[in-house]
Amino acid sequence: MKWHEMRSDEVMDSINTDGDSGLTSKEVQKRTQKFGLNELKEADRPSAIIIFLSQFKDFMVLVLLAATLISGLLGEYIDAIAIIAIVVVNGVLGFFQERKAERSLEALKELSAPQVNVLRNGQWEKILSKELVPGDIVKFSSGDRIGADMRLLDTKSLEVEESALTGESLPVQKSTQPIAGEEVGLGDLTNMVFMGTLITRGSGIGVVIGTGMNTAMGQIADLLQNAETMETPLQRRLEQLGKILIVVALALTVLVVGIGVIQGHDLYNMFLAGVSLAVAAIPEGLPAIVTVALSLGVQRMIKQKSIVRKLPAVETLGCASVICSDKTGTMTQNKMTVTHIWSGDKVWNVSGTGYHPHGEFLYDDQQVDVNNTRTLQQILTFGSLCNSASIIESEGQYRLDGDPTDGALVVSAMKAGIKRETLQKNFEVVDEFPFDSTRKMMSVVVKDKSGNRFVVTKGAPDVLLGVSSNILWNERQEVLNSKYEGKVKHAIESLASQALRTIAVAFKPLKSTDKINSSFEAEKDLVFIGLQGMIDPPRPEVKQAVKECRDAGIKTVMITGDHVITAKAIAKQLNILPHNGKVMEGKELSNLSVDELETIVDDVYVFARVSPEHKLKIVKALQNRGHIVAMTGDGVNDAPAIKAADIGISMGITGTDVAKEASSLVLVDDNFATIKSAIKEGRNIYENIRKFIRYLLASNVGEILVMLFAMILALPLPLVPIQILWVNLVTDGLPAMALGLDQPEGDLMRRKPRHPKEGVFARGLGWKVISRGFLIGIVTLAAFMIVYYRNPDDLAYAQTIAFATLVMAQLIHVFDCRSEKSIFERNPFGNLYLIGAVISSILLMMVVIYYPPLQPIFHTLPILARDWLLILGMSAIPTFLLAGSLLTRKSA
Ligand code: ADP
Ligand code: MG
């Protein structure tokens, strides 16, 4: 018999699992060994050797190697070996950079891997989906992605979207009924769910019958190796820039060689110098360093509790101009506690904090006995009955399993001695319509011991008012006319203005002939009973984060399904709502077109009573206004807005798989303040990339120009090829990496967001590169000429001086690259990596100059002490000349 033909008890028997407690750890271990991890096999990745070899496939490197070979054949062994050594070291560095980039991307995938709720050793726990084994019992609900193939054991209005497997985009209704017949098409297996499909509604429990490649998905796994494009806009732009730079560098090199030959230089020497120059001047390592900088930044962001799912988001983050954030759970703590209960114009206060189920009920400051207060008892009972959360006690601590709003209602009932377990014994839940943010209600159909059925509904009070026709008023049922409606509304507003989240409770008895097939049939003609008001305190750090965002030119918009007045009260506490700021309700939003919304959206700071569908409209309107929008969300219905936003953000704790998959950033702690940190990091990463681009290119410009000018002036070569290569490897490479790890400048979060279309050389970077590079070239040449004319016979000494001046000029200039404004803005010892890189570069240079065995290889001679004065003086000029002129300009 196949799985779908069996009854659920038969399934459990044949897969050998206990339905009440699941598998034991020992059994799980055995099965993991037998079946392996629940993973699809991935396409093979390139091996280390291939990555290493690919470092040398660069055209100019190949030319250099060929040139080296020629010089080797011509008997220049030392030169040849030294050049090859440098090329290999360069390749090894590139290899490690690339490996590092790849590894950290791998690690990211792991971090955002889906989790599942599984029953093991008698307890529900969360594990990674890849740890599932056949026989595991798994619980899932709307928004989850199914982790393995399962036979269903229990379903509640369960609907699954299986398009990944069947191509059918309409959700399929699922049940637990056995299906007859051996051969049934995948689309008709309504008592099973499959790996990779999505729960769009309801909830269910299933037992795993297939994992890994043994699933329906596994059979078509080859088709699914869809690699996501991870290239960021900047990387793409740099690639284009790289191509231009190659052409420019080559052209200049040819020019240098050409002029050199015309001026009477030896062709062979000029060729080797030209190729070395081209290798040095072409920033072929730039894309790799950018990737490393991005992925190191991503790792820093993980430490600050945000996971980047799509690398381009790192850049876009720095451009964000509006953050649209959920209120509940993101700006607030999502630790709800019922403090007020209202019914029939009476208000009871409830004491106690958190999920600790002990507290008192007070009326007019007098303690009341709930057992003697029928209304109170009803509100609490129904609130706990129409519920999907539970409070778990262990060692005196109380923990919530489920939705905090639900949890608060369970706890308030427990404070009156009403336990969910006892209720579940007395009332059988025969049907359930789970909460969703569009209906803003949840309902259950229950049957009591004597077989009477009734509907219990809880949800947003204004919505419940609309579907109630009667009201319990001081234990008497009355028609819900406008008089009572007015009183209820007044009560709602009074609770909401105290920043309380309000939930109303209602019910209706059913006749035995009544049939309830949909939430719509359940949620009408209800009897309204009363309200529970719960606090949900703001997260303490959010107020400061909102302020920092405002200083950074980023507007914060609160979006919530909660009541307008509650939303407004919390927005005021957090300083989100300015005096002239508008609050808009979902109703109003529905009536506006995107174009109409666009004209006013800049004035709106709070959107209340919205449905997830509204979020898309908000994103579009803001984008039409030219904003770069970050949008948070957690539910299935939030996914379209998350996708449409420039930066889609999902919640690590409460977020559904659907929302996470749609997002480019996941907040591990669901916290608004984390968005701010991520934006700050995003800005910093971008600025750091600019810093090393600036440094590398200015250095390259300097290297080319010193050679070019020397040729034009009919001078000998100021640098020999191996020196040029050395500078490229040591002086350019190490400090550039260190710049990638630089701390943010003090005013980073006081600048306006960067324009997304901004080019690499925007904000004066191009000028800085050319002017500093030009000066570096000039001073190197000047130092060379001074020493060369002093003693024209000692060319090698003059070349050593030029070499040292070039290195020192770059190492001083690197400190200037740390600031957009001026070198004097920053403490030079702030970046210890940079200090380390500079010191090691200097030491390595000293070794090359003063260590006798290396001198013939690098064509160096020991520099006299007095000439260091010349070198240092010259090399300080490029940085301080322009820094000084900038200062005078500022004071003028
Ligand atoms: P948000 O998450 O932005 O606060 P929701 O869409 O979750 O908004 O909730 C909207 C309203 O629905 C709430 O103000 C509350 O009245 C009601 N509500 C929230 N959670 C539940 C729930 N689990 N069951 C019933 N009603 C709920
Ligand atoms: Mg919610």
Side-chain angles (χ1 to χ4, degrees):
M1 244 205 308
K2 291 214 168 157
W3 299 114
H4 63 262
E5 298 171 82
M6 301 181 193
R7 290 191 317 271
S8 37
D9 55 301
E10 293 170 318
V11 176
M12 300 301 274
D13 278 348
S14 52
I15 197 127
N16 202 1
T17 298
D18 182 329
D20 295 324
S21 62
L23 299 172
T24 59
S25 307
K26 231 173 98 191
E27 188 60 29
V28 168
Q29 212 175 8
K30 255 204 245 157
R31 295 191 186 195
T32 310
Q33 274 188 355
K34 181 160 170 209
F35 297 101
L37 283 179
N38 176 31
E39 285 175 323
L40 298 180
K41 276 203 201 71
E42 278 195 45
D44 291 337
R45 258 171 294 122
S47 68
I49 303 228
I50 302 281
I51 299 183
F52 181 68
L53 288 180
S54 71
Q55 303 302 317
F56 303 101
K57 66 171 199 275
D58 193 71
F59 175 68
M60 281 320 292
V61 174
L62 288 179
V63 174
L64 180 65
L65 287 176
T68 315
L69 196 69
I70 297 172
S71 68
L73 292 178
L74 291 176
E76 304 274 351
Y77 300 119
I78 296 183
D79 269 9
I81 292 171
I83 290 177
I84 285 176
I86 282 195
V87 169
V88 169
V89 172
N90 221 341
V92 170
L93 277 187
F95 169 76
F96 280 114
Q97 279 171 358
E98 202 161 297
R99 273 283 281 256
K100 169 126 199 145
E102 192 168 310
R103 287 254 170 85
S104 36
L105 292 179
E106 277 296 298
L108 284 190
K109 259 202 225 152
E110 289 272 304
L111 271 171
S112 47
Q115 292 192 318
V116 291
N117 236 324
V118 60
L119 183 64
R120 283 180 179 176
N121 306 309
Q123 282 203 320
W124 288 103
E125 53 179 304
K126 280 209 154 158
I127 60 163
L128 286 180
S129 165
K130 69 171 182 193
E131 293 164 4
L132 281 176
V133 294
D136 265 330
I137 295 176
V138 179
K139 186 161 75 171
F140 39 81
S141 58
S142 106
D144 289 350
R145 197 174 277 285
I146 294 293
D149 285 4
M150 296 180 220
R151 170 69 163 82
L152 292 166
L153 304 175
D154 187 26
T155 59
K156 290 200 173 101
S157 337
L158 184 65
E159 285 181 18
V160 184
E161 195 252 296
E162 302 184 325
S163 63
L165 282 177
T166 60
E168 172 60 55
S169 60
L170 284 182
V172 187
Q173 289 192 8
K174 298 280 179 177
S175 73
T176 56
Q177 292 304 319
I179 301 166
E182 215 174 286
E183 289 309 318
V184 180
L186 211 55
D188 296 323
L189 288 173
T190 51
N191 58 12
M192 296 184 65
V193 288
F194 303 99
M195 177 194 244
T197 58
L198 269 178
I199 311 294
T200 50
R201 264 196 79 196
S203 58
I205 295 181
V207 57
V208 174
I209 51 101
T211 57
M213 295 305 279
N214 261 330
T215 56
M217 191 60 94
Q219 287 164 12
I220 54 168
D222 301 339
L223 307 175
L224 294 165
Q225 305 287 0
N226 47 349
E228 251 184 88
T229 51
M230 288 299 238
E231 210 169 52
T232 77
L234 179 67
Q235 283 176 316
R236 231 173 296 137
R237 230 176 273 154
L238 280 180
E239 229 161 71
Q240 286 160 4
L241 175 73
K243 286 188 189 129
I244 300 173
L245 288 179
I246 288 181
V247 175
V248 174
L250 281 181
L252 287 173
T253 310
V254 169
L255 199 64
V256 170
V257 175
I259 299 177
V261 173
I262 293 171
Q263 304 277 25
H265 282 280
D266 172 54
L267 182 63
Y268 162 74
N269 275 338
M270 273 324 288
F271 176 66
L272 200 56
V275 175
S276 310
L277 192 57
V279 169
I282 292 170
E284 75 288 336
L286 210 52
I289 305 188
V290 170
T291 310
V292 172
L294 283 170
S295 58
L296 286 178
V298 166
Q299 277 163 9
R300 278 200 301 277
M301 289 167 82
I302 292 172
K303 289 205 192 97
Q304 295 160 16
K305 303 229 170 334
S306 45
I307 297 173
V308 175
R309 291 193 67 253
K310 297 171 187 154
L311 208 49
V314 179
E315 273 168 47
T316 326
L317 270 172
C319 309
S321 60
V322 179
I323 307 174
C324 298
S325 168
D326 287 337
K327 169 183 76 71
T328 311
T330 311
M331 295 183 159
T332 64
Q333 300 181 4
N334 223 0
K335 282 198 192 114
M336 314 236 187
T337 316
V338 172
T339 57
H340 293 66
I341 295 179
W342 176 96
S343 180
D345 258 353
K346 290 206 185 82
V347 178
W348 291 270
N349 290 351
V350 189
S351 69
T353 52
Y355 297 123
H356 200 72
H358 299 290
E360 288 163 355
F361 292 81
L362 306 163
Y363 182 72
D364 257 351
D365 289 336
Q366 298 292 314
Q367 194 178 338
V368 293
D369 181 1
V370 181
N371 290 327
N372 296 329
T373 323
R374 202 173 140 69
T375 334
L376 203 50
Q377 220 176 4
Q378 270 174 322
I379 294 180
L380 293 169
T381 304
F382 287 160
S384 185
L385 198 54
C386 175
N387 206 303
S388 53
S390 47
I391 298 294
I392 300 160
E393 195 217 318
S394 65
E395 295 158 6
Q397 298 287 318
Y398 293 89
R399 189 168 60 80
L400 163 73
D401 176 22
D403 178 66
T405 307
D406 278 357
L409 300 177
V410 175
V411 171
S412 68
M414 283 166 88
K415 285 176 181 168
I418 304 167
K419 289 208 182 97
R420 229 166 106 71
E421 300 84 75
T422 332
L423 288 178
Q424 279 164 340
K425 275 186 202 125
N426 296 328
F427 300 95
E428 186 199 346
V429 176
V430 288
D431 214 344
E432 182 177 322
F433 303 101
F435 172 77
D436 76 56
S437 304
T438 307
R439 273 165 47 241
K440 297 188 171 54
M441 305 186 261
M442 163 178 181
S443 301
V444 289
V445 180
V446 293
K447 190 153 75 179
D448 68 11
K449 287 247 162 93
S450 24
N452 300 320
R453 289 181 311 139
F454 47 99
V455 173
V456 181
T457 303
K458 73 173 200 311
D462 33 340
V463 178
L464 245 64
L465 264 186
V467 292
S468 298
S469 45
N470 290 285
I471 183 166
L472 271 188
W473 197 267
N474 291 325
E475 298 179 23
R476 284 227 313 273
Q477 186 166 326
E478 309 276 353
V479 174
L480 181 59
N481 56 22
S482 55
K483 179 184 107 190
Y484 289 116
E485 202 171 313
K487 290 188 182 217
V488 176
K489 281 193 173 145
H490 185 76
I492 297 171
E493 285 174 17
S494 132
L495 292 181
S497 63
Q498 302 167 55
L500 297 176
R501 182 177 176 84
T502 49
I503 296 278
V505 178
F507 80 110
K508 106 175 136 182
L510 292 174
K511 292 201 246 1
S512 54
T513 50
D514 285 344
K515 280 222 157 40
I516 301 288
N517 293 318
S518 65
S519 63
F520 181 75
E521 283 169 358
E523 290 157 353
K524 66 180 186 195
D525 294 331
L526 300 174
V527 183
F528 195 96
I529 311 178
L531 308 169
Q532 300 205 35
M534 50 188 83
I535 50 162
D536 178 19
R539 291 176 182 265
E541 60 277 31
V542 170
K543 192 171 173 181
Q544 173 66 19
V546 169
K547 180 182 177 299
E548 282 177 45
C549 285
R550 193 177 313 119
D551 292 343
I554 304 163
K555 176 184 170 186
T556 304
V557 176
M558 176 191 276
I559 298 189
T560 179
D562 232 338
H563 196 278
V564 200
I565 299 178
T566 311
K568 212 166 156 174
I570 296 197
K572 285 228 172 91
Q573 288 179 15
L574 293 173
N575 263 338
I576 289 175
L577 188 64
H579 289 302
N580 52 356
K582 279 207 186 74
V583 178
M584 189 182 278
E585 255 191 286
K587 271 183 286 183
E588 202 181 330
L589 206 49
S590 302
N591 293 330
L592 293 177
S593 69
V594 172
D595 291 344
E596 285 165 330
L597 179 59
E598 194 190 316
T599 57
I600 44 172
V601 73
D602 276 336
D603 296 327
V604 185
Y605 289 79
V606 177
F607 290 94
R609 274 288 184 256
V610 294
S611 303
E613 296 74 37
H614 291 131
K615 286 182 165 181
L616 187 60
K617 219 180 204 176
I618 299 173
V619 168
K620 292 229 166 102
L622 284 167
Q623 283 174 335
N624 289 351
R625 295 283 306 159
H627 286 295
I628 302 298
V629 185
M631 169 65 89
T632 70
D634 48 15
V636 190
N637 304 336
D638 290 332
I642 294 181
K643 244 186 219 150
D646 301 279
I647 305 151
I649 303 174
S650 64
M651 301 299 149
I653 305 170
T654 59
T656 56
D657 294 343
V658 184
K660 285 184 192 163
E661 284 166 21
S663 69
S664 43
L665 190 76
V666 183
L667 304 180
V668 177
D669 57 357
D670 292 13
N671 189 345
F672 177 84
T674 304
I675 306 178
K676 182 222 64 187
S677 323
I679 287 182
K680 184 171 180 188
E681 197 57 65
R683 285 188 175 194
N684 189 37
I685 293 173
Y686 191 85
E687 290 309 313
N688 283 351
I689 291 176
R690 273 170 63 92
K691 289 175 192 172
F692 64 66
I693 289 180
R694 174 180 164 193
Y695 173 70
L696 280 181
L697 294 188
S699 300
N700 290 354
V701 168
E703 288 155 23
I704 293 188
L705 289 186
V706 69
M707 299 292 273
L708 183 64
F709 293 152
M711 294 305 100
I712 292 175
L713 296 178
L715 291 167
L717 284 179
L719 296 163
V720 294
I722 186 79
Q723 290 169 349
I724 297 175
L725 291 174
W726 191 92
V727 171
N728 181 46
L729 178 68
V730 180
T731 321
D732 292 358
L734 285 178
M737 294 292 268
L739 280 179
L741 296 170
D742 205 20
Q743 295 85 356
E745 263 189 280
D747 67 345
L748 186 72
M749 285 300 271
R750 287 193 295 277
R751 297 179 195 157
K752 290 241 146 355
R754 163 172 55 88
H755 194 281
K757 296 239 166 67
E758 178 186 293
V760 183
F761 295 116
R763 288 179 273 144
L765 196 83
W767 163 246
K768 283 182 181 143
V769 165
I770 292 182
S771 58
R772 306 303 198 272
F774 179 81
L775 287 176
I776 290 175
I778 293 287
V779 296
T780 307
L781 189 67
F784 173 73
M785 285 166 69
I786 291 172
V787 177
Y788 177 67
Y789 284 125
R790 214 168 54 193
N791 184 2
D793 294 334
D794 201 354
L795 178 59
Y797 188 70
Q799 282 170 332
T800 310
I801 297 283
F803 171 64
T805 310
L806 181 64
V807 170
M808 291 312 296
Q810 291 186 359
L811 292 182
I812 294 174
H813 174 235
V814 72
F815 289 97
D816 193 29
C817 295
R818 294 182 63 216
S819 171
E820 292 277 307
K821 293 200 283 293
S822 137
I823 191 171
F824 301 117
E825 291 283 323
R826 307 209 64 179
N827 170 8
F829 300 103
N831 182 348
L832 290 181
Y833 297 108
L834 187 59
I835 298 292
V838 168
I839 290 180
S840 32
S841 292
I842 293 179
L843 286 181
L844 285 171
M845 176 186 69
M846 292 302 180
V847 172
V848 167
I849 293 176
Y850 288 105
Y851 184 51
L854 288 181
Q855 287 165 352
I857 300 177
F858 287 91
H859 302 261
T860 49
L861 290 169
I863 295 176
L864 303 176
R866 62 182 163 105
D867 285 332
W868 276 109
L869 277 182
L870 172 74
I871 292 169
L872 291 177
M874 282 297 179
S875 53
I877 289 176
T879 299
F880 289 101
L881 184 71
L882 292 184
S885 74
L886 203 81
L887 279 189
T888 39
R889 209 189 309 157
K890 215 194 275 172
S891 52

